[in-house]
Amino acid sequence: MHTEWIWGLVGGLLIGLGAAVYLLGNGRIMGASGILGGLVDGSDRAFERLCFIAGVIGMPVLLRPLFSSASETHLTSNFVVIVIAGLLVGAGTRIANGCTSGHGVCGISRFSLRGIVATLIYIGAGGVTVALMRHVWGLI
Amino acid sequence: MRGLISLLAGSLFGAGLLISGMTDTTKVQGWLDVFGNWDPTLAFVMGGAILPMFIAWRMTPHLSPLTGGHFPKMGSLELDRRLVAGSVMFGMGWGLAGLCPGPAIASVTYGGFGGVVFLVAMIAGMFAAPGLGAQLDRTANAA
C-alpha cells in the first residue's frame, strides 16, 4: 500500500479521536466551520472555541519538524482565486451549517441524512470545479 | 475543564490534519480531480476519522457528556435550500483552492501569505453568511 495512504489513515484516526474526545467530553459536534463561525457570530462558549483553535494551530507547529514532507500547503499563488475560494468556503459552510469535519466526519459516522447529502454535494461541486477550472479552462 | 477538553480535541485534530497530508492542497485537489491524476488519500483519511466517531456515537446512548449536559440530538431530516446551496458554494471554494476550514486554520503558521489571505477571506465569508442565508430564504418564499 502507498505510504501516503497509511499516513492518511493514521492522521484520519487522530482526527476522529479528536472528534470523539470533543463529543464525549463536551457533548458537542467537532466542526471546524461551526467552532470558528461561532466566534465570528459572537455565539456563546467563546473560551472553549479559542482553546480548540489554539490546539489546531499549535499542534502542527510542534509536529512540523517531524513531518517536513507533509508540511507544504502548495497553495496557489493566484490571489484572486484564493480570495474567491476563501469567501465561498466561509459563506458556504456557515449557510450549510457544516463542513468536512462537521457534516463529513461527525455526520456520516452517525448516518445523518443531512451530513451524507451535504458531503455528496460538496464533493460533487468540488469535482466539477476542478474538472472545469483545470481541464477545460486551464485556470488552476 | 471544557477548555482543556477543547484544547485536547483541537490538538488531536490539528495533528491529524498535518499527518494525514490534508493541509497539502495538491492532495485535496487530487482527490477531486477524477479526470486527472486521481489521489485517493482523502478516502483513507475520511475512513480513519469516521471509525472512532462511529464508536463514540454508539456509546452516547449509555453515557452523558463528561462535563454535563446532553449529547446533540440528530438534526432535522429536512434537506433544505440552505444545506444544498451552502454545500455547493463550499464545494466550489474547496475545489478552487484545496482548503476546507480545518486545514485552513491548521496551516496558518506555514501556509505563507496566501494561507493567511485565505483564512481572512473565509472569516469574511462567515460574516456575510447570515445575510446571504436570509436572502436565500426570501428567494425561496418568493418562488
Side-chain angles (χ1 to χ4, degrees):
Chain A
M1 208 160 79
H2 213 290
T3 320
E4 294 181 357
W5 301 352
I6 297 171
W7 283 120
L9 194 62
V10 172
L13 285 166
L14 287 172
I15 293 169
L17 201 60
V21 165
Y22 203 64
L23 178 71
L24 298 176
N26 283 353
R28 308 276 293 179
I29 288 178
M30 190 196 76
S33 59
I35 292 170
L36 178 63
L39 277 179
V40 172
D41 291 347
S43 303
D44 60 349
R45 305 176 191 278
F47 176 69
E48 37 183 279
R49 294 174 194 276
L50 285 170
C51 288
F52 180 84
I53 289 167
V56 179
I57 294 175
M59 200 46 108
V61 172
L62 296 178
L63 292 180
R64 221 160 67 87
L66 306 174
F67 295 91
S68 51
S69 63
S71 62
E72 284 288 326
T73 61
H74 300 113
L75 184 63
T76 176
S77 53
N78 184 333
F79 280 94
V80 177
V81 170
I82 291 176
V83 169
I84 292 172
L87 288 170
L88 282 169
V89 169
T93 52
R94 290 304 278 157
I95 290 170
N97 202 22
C99 59
T100 337
S101 44
H103 277 318
V105 175
C106 298
I108 292 174
S109 59
R110 81 191 301 201
F111 305 108
S112 149
L113 181 65
R114 281 172 58 87
I116 291 167
V117 168
T119 303
L120 290 175
I121 292 174
Y122 63 68
I123 288 178
V128 170
T129 302
V130 170
L132 288 176
M133 296 294 284
R134 180 168 288 175
H135 299 298
V136 179
W137 300 319
L139 292 172
I140 57 169
Chain B
M1 187 64 184
R2 292 184 65 95
L4 213 59
I5 289 167
S6 300
L7 181 68
L8 175 63
S11 301
L12 288 165
F13 185 46
L17 288 172
L18 177 79
I19 291 170
S20 64
M22 288 299 100
T23 61
D24 182 348
T25 59
T26 52
K27 276 202 161 31
V28 175
Q29 287 181 322
W31 156 260
L32 295 171
D33 192 5
V34 283
F35 299 109
N37 193 9
W38 188 62
D39 184 342
T41 307
L42 191 140
F44 287 88
V45 182
M46 205 37 124
I50 285 172
L51 189 69
M53 269 310 277
F54 173 75
I55 298 168
W57 282 123
R58 286 301 184 93
M59 290 163 72
T60 55
H62 316 288
L63 301 168
S64 288
L66 197 65
T67 54
H70 301 279
F71 288 113
K73 289 195 175 64
M74 183 78 94
S76 71
L77 293 175
E78 203 186 336
L79 299 173
D80 52 275
R81 188 179 277 242
R82 283 182 181 232
L83 186 81
V84 175
S87 296
V88 169
M89 287 170 69
F90 166 41
M92 287 167 66
W94 194 39
L96 273 179
L99 281 177
C100 52
I105 299 167
S107 69
V108 75
T109 59
Y110 59 92
F113 183 56
V116 177
V117 171
F118 184 91
L119 190 62
V120 171
M122 188 174 88
I123 290 170
M126 288 177 165
F127 263 114
L132 288 171
Q135 185 75 44
L136 201 66
D137 295 341
R138 275 197 293 277
T139 333
N141 292 334

